[in-house]
Amino acid sequence: MVKLKVDRGRCIGCGSCVSLYPDIFEMDGGRAKERDGEKEFSSEEGEEIKSVCPVGAIIENNDK
Ligand code: F3S
């Protein structure tokens, strides 16, 4: 299982992740961030979600 987060330094605020996955991401100050709460995805789901970001700013969160 994988957890995801937004690399806010890399996010350009395109909003695709928030449009497609509003339960997972929200906009904050022109950039996306992951919503609070533990969310885990299968690696397949994780890859699909990561692929919506054109600049690769959705990354795996291995800290939590
Ligand atoms: Fe930012 Fe990528 Fe989402 S640019 S708003 S993390 S799709």
Side-chain angles (χ1 to χ4, degrees), residues 37-54:
E38 290 284 302
K39 293 198 183 71
E40 290 192 316
F41 308 95
S42 67
S43 36
E44 200 173 62
E45 274 176 320
E47 288 307 314
E48 197 175 314
I49 296 166
K50 283 193 278 181
S51 75
V52 307
C53 181

Side-chain angles (χ1 to χ4, degrees), residues 6 10-18 27 31-32 52-58:
V6 176
R10 205 182 289 181
C11 172
I12 56 169
C14 86
S16 298
C17 59
V18 176
M27 292 308 280
R31 293 182 183 173
V52 307
C53 181
V55 293
I58 302 171

